[in-house]
Amino acid sequence: MNPRLASEIVSLTLEHLWLVLIAIGVAALIAIPAAVALTRRAAIRRWMLGLANILQTVPSLALFGFLLPLPFIGGIGRHTAIIALCLYALLPILRNTLVGVLGVDPAVRESAVAMGMTGNQILWQVELPLAVPAILAGLRIATVTTIGTATVAAAIGAGGLGVFIFRGIATVDTATILAGAVPAAIMALAADEGLEWIEKRLSPA
Amino acid sequence: MQCAVLEIRDLTYRIGERSILREVSLEAREGETVVLLGRSGCGKTTLLKCVNGLLPPASGEIRFQGRTLSEWDPISLRRRIGYVIQDAGLFPHWTVAANIGLVPKLEKWEPGAIAARVDLLLDTVGLPPAQFARRHPHELSGGQKQRVGIARALAAEPPLLLLDEPFAALDPITRYELQRQFVSLLRATASGSGKAALFVTHDVREALLLATRIVLLKDGMIDVMASPGEFLSARTEEARAFLSGLDTPQHESAPGF
Ligand SMILES: Nc1ncnc2c1ncn2[C@@H]1O[C@H](COP(=O)(O)OP(=O)(O)O)[C@@H](O)[C@H]1O
Ligand SMILES: [Mg+2]
């Protein structure tokens, strides 16, 4: 392999990783607290989940396209891609956090109340720790999908491994497509395995 | 005269139109173990939950240490009432030691004092700390979980203990052993300690063994309230139904019982 290609693979892989990490980080910072708030409000929970569901069904290329003409958040470049990736990552994290917190054995929650714990103490010491495996599973699903979706980000000039894929498609060059697809696949597999390992390590019992 | 730790006056609890508890009045004085006896579904757990402030009564009054529940902050009320929940209700992600030390930690005891208290309680309920303190609930048998549940309820030296069928799910031998231990525990802390216990069971033998007073509940109403001696000659239909179980030899009961 020629050294120029090798160094381009490395730099685009890092760029890709960066896109994914920022998108997942921002999505987690929004979705986890939002989910916790929603566990306390059954009425609007259905609504918000429905909204996140709809967002998820918008085809990724279309979502990038919709964001482009918007003032401030739109435009060609990395930030538009990050916003789109972030929107996609919201749902799995939101849903898994909700499932994790709401899935805490009612007997355990009632016993926490009966022992005289406050609402905040129950959230931080009982509900969230018991929801950790579910939250991590949500992060894992979101990360793996985002790694794949992020290849589309090259279409709006955000860089990443999608650059190879689009270039390969344009020049009908399988080797160039593979230079993008293989590192992306490896990254997805590594993220899946790594996060699953952490999930197992942190699971109570 | 010993004063009442707990006083319940005309307590009624409803779900919709249905009365689960009807005009229940009873009190538990210092040193007393009041046993609530009744068939499953008669409202025993509901009564304990009302006392703990988990369920709001439709009418009536509950006083703990002389103050009505509405005068208590629910959080501090619950930290002064030791509650042994049916099926233990331990936190699965915490060690045995952390589970037992929960209320002392909430009450901001010194870590050293909590650790010492936990060790003492583990010894009291017959679980050597060296062996059990660091385990998680899933590494315990049913009987061991119940012991931890009892230790947790006792941890902050509450003036009132609520026990919801703490020995029901156990094998006869373990149950017998725990009943014996519990009797001596109660005797040791009974008089002058300002403490009382409300103990729920559906087992008349257990009631006779542990109670200073028996309250027989039927369909959410008090059917009989009597000392164990008087209860043996109670004449209501429900009391006789329970007492008839005593005549037939019970294979469940432990030898020498
Ligand atoms: N959440 C509930 N909804 C409807 N009925 C209930 C609920 N909880 C308890 N009950 C009813 O209240 C009655 C008393 O229940 P409980 O206090 O648990 O009985 P016990 O502890 O004596 O077995 C039962 O008949 C039960 O069916
Ligand atoms: Mg019950």
Side-chain angles (χ1 to χ4, degrees), chain B residues 15 18 20 39-46 86 165:
Chain B
I15 298 177
R18 191 170 149 226
I20 308 290
R39 301 170 193 255
S40 115
C42 73
K44 306 181 296 297
T45 299
T46 306
Q86 207 166 2
E165 310 202 25

Side-chain angles (χ1 to χ4, degrees), chain B:
Chain B
M1 188 73 217
Q2 287 151 325
C3 56
V5 178
L6 176 71
E7 283 177 84
I8 300 174
R9 292 275 163 268
D10 300 324
L11 176 71
T12 296
Y13 178 80
R14 290 198 191 91
I15 298 177
E17 287 299 293
R18 191 170 149 226
S19 295
I20 308 290
L21 294 171
R22 266 180 283 180
E23 316 239 306
V24 172
S25 297
L26 59 87
E27 55 181 46
R29 296 175 166 275
E30 224 173 83
E32 266 196 310
T33 302
V34 175
V35 171
L36 280 174
L37 177 65
R39 301 170 193 255
S40 115
C42 73
K44 306 181 296 297
T45 299
T46 306
L47 182 55
L48 294 192
K49 286 184 180 174
C50 287
V51 171
N52 195 253
L54 289 170
L55 295 175
S59 63
E61 190 179 79
I62 301 173
R63 280 177 183 272
F64 172 61
Q65 294 187 317
R67 287 155 68 192
T68 64
L69 288 205
S70 52
E71 291 168 332
W72 279 95
D73 162 43
I75 300 295
S76 45
L77 171 83
R78 290 173 188 143
R79 291 181 191 175
R80 277 166 188 75
I81 296 178
Y83 193 172
V84 183
I85 293 165
Q86 207 166 2
D87 305 318
L90 302 176
F91 294 169
H93 58 307
W94 283 12
T95 61
V96 163
N99 268 287
I100 296 175
L102 169 60
V103 180
K105 195 183 117 202
L106 294 175
E107 291 288 88
K108 306 203 162 53
W109 290 22
E110 293 286 313
I114 298 176
R117 181 77 184 142
V118 167
D119 282 357
L120 179 74
L121 284 164
L122 277 169
D123 278 325
T124 310
V125 297
L127 301 173
Q131 204 180 332
F132 288 96
R134 312 212 58 78
R135 289 200 194 175
H136 281 83
H138 69 97
E139 298 164 308
L140 302 176
S141 72
Q144 291 164 343
K145 278 184 205 164
Q146 285 297 1
R147 290 167 196 253
V148 174
I150 293 170
R152 176 175 70 171
L154 292 169
E157 310 224 39
L160 178 64
L161 268 184
L162 306 176
L163 302 104
D164 199 349
E165 310 202 25
F167 310 138
L170 307 179
D171 62 277
I173 308 289
T174 312
R175 184 189 313 153
Y176 177 71
E177 201 179 296
L178 278 182
Q179 285 169 342
R180 289 286 159 192
Q181 278 179 10
F182 191 71
V183 170
S184 47
L185 197 77
L186 286 175
R187 300 285 179 273
T189 58
S191 48
S193 63
K195 291 181 186 171
L198 197 54
F199 189 108
V200 161
T201 184
H202 60 249
D203 175 354
V204 67
R205 290 162 190 260
E206 189 167 78
L208 291 167
L209 176 71
L210 299 176
T212 54
R213 193 144 37 123
I214 294 177
V215 175
L216 179 62
L217 268 188
K218 183 183 184 234
D219 298 331
M221 288 191 287
I222 294 185
D223 190 61
V224 174
M225 176 154 17
S227 70
E230 292 163 354
F231 186 79
L232 285 171
S233 50
R235 284 285 158 262
T236 68
E237 205 180 315
E238 187 75 349
R240 280 187 302 188
F242 270 96
L243 289 166
S244 68
L246 287 174
D247 305 332
T248 50
Q250 256 198 9
H251 300 294
E252 273 204 339
S253 73
F257 190 8

Side-chain angles (χ1 to χ4, degrees), chain A residues 59-187:
Chain A
S60 51
L61 201 49
L63 185 61
F64 286 117
F66 287 142
L67 289 175
L68 275 180
L70 294 183
F72 304 114
I73 61 170
I76 292 285
R78 186 179 291 169
H79 63 283
T80 309
I82 288 173
I83 289 167
L85 294 175
C86 199
L87 289 174
Y88 278 110
L90 286 175
L91 178 67
I93 304 175
L94 187 79
R95 190 161 47 198
N96 274 50
T97 306
L98 270 175
V99 166
V101 172
L102 295 176
V104 169
D105 181 355
V108 170
R109 190 181 288 110
E110 187 175 68
S111 126
V113 176
M115 296 301 130
M117 294 180 96
T118 64
N120 273 333
Q121 287 166 337
I122 293 171
L123 177 65
W124 289 102
Q125 298 180 39
V126 179
E127 292 178 315
L128 282 177
L130 287 173
V132 161
I135 296 172
L136 283 175
L139 283 173
R140 179 165 58 86
I141 296 163
T143 306
V144 171
T145 10
T146 304
I147 290 170
T149 314
T151 54
V152 182
I156 57 165
L161 289 164
V163 169
F164 282 128
I165 298 177
F166 281 104
R167 191 191 296 159
I169 292 171
T171 58
V172 199
D173 174 4
T174 311
T176 308
I177 295 177
L178 285 176
V182 171
I186 292 172
M187 195 187 292

